[in-house]
């Protein structure tokens, strides 16, 4: 879950050129479902492609699409570190490798 003010996301995007966010990390469910929902809402609000975390497995498996050199690139993320919620058909979390 994001533990920074939402305004920081705008700065990451503007000043760092952040193009996408990889979210299949071992602490993404530390704040429970509310933290997952908040993280996804903030990223979606700021139109940052994301992968590796979702409100269910289908959502978590969605690629983050980027374009480079005229090519469309799909980025996916998986986790293999214990302690994080594993997404399934009805459970928010990360996709397990």
């Amino acid at each position: 879950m994001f533990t920074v003010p939402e305004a920081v996301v705008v700065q990451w995007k503007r000043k760092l050129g952040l193009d996408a966010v990889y979210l299949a990390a071992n602490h993404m469910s530390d704040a429970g479902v509310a933290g997952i929902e908040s993280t996804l809402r903030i990223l979606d609000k700021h139109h940052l492609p994301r992968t590796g975390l979702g409100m269910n497995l289908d959502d978590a498996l969605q690629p983050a699409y980027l374009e480079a050199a005229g090519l469309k690139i799909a980025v996916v993320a998986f986790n293999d570190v214990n302690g994080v919620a594993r997404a399934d058909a009805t459970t928010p979390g990360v996709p397990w490798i």
Side-chain angles (χ1 to χ4, degrees):
M1 151 173 166
F2 282 125
T3 56
V4 297
E6 183 176 343
V8 172
V9 175
V10 175
Q11 296 302 318
W12 286 343
K13 193 173 176 183
R14 185 179 314 142
K15 293 186 178 186
L16 299 177
L18 189 66
D19 294 318
V21 183
Y22 175 108
L23 297 169
N26 62 317
H27 289 283
M28 291 312 298
S29 61
D30 285 358
V33 173
I36 292 171
E37 288 175 334
S38 172
T39 298
L40 300 177
R41 180 184 47 76
I42 290 168
L43 293 174
D44 291 348
K45 176 180 176 183
H46 294 284
H47 308 286
L48 274 167
R50 58 177 171 82
T51 187
L53 181 71
M55 292 308 295
N56 57 50
L57 184 57
D58 286 342
D59 188 24
L61 288 171
Q62 286 298 310
Y65 292 102
L66 306 166
E67 290 192 28
L71 299 173
K72 188 172 186 177
I73 302 164
V75 178
V76 294
F78 297 90
N79 182 64
D80 70 348
V81 178
N82 289 323
V84 66
R86 295 181 186 206
D88 65 25
T90 60
T91 304
V94 300
W96 210 256
I97 195 159

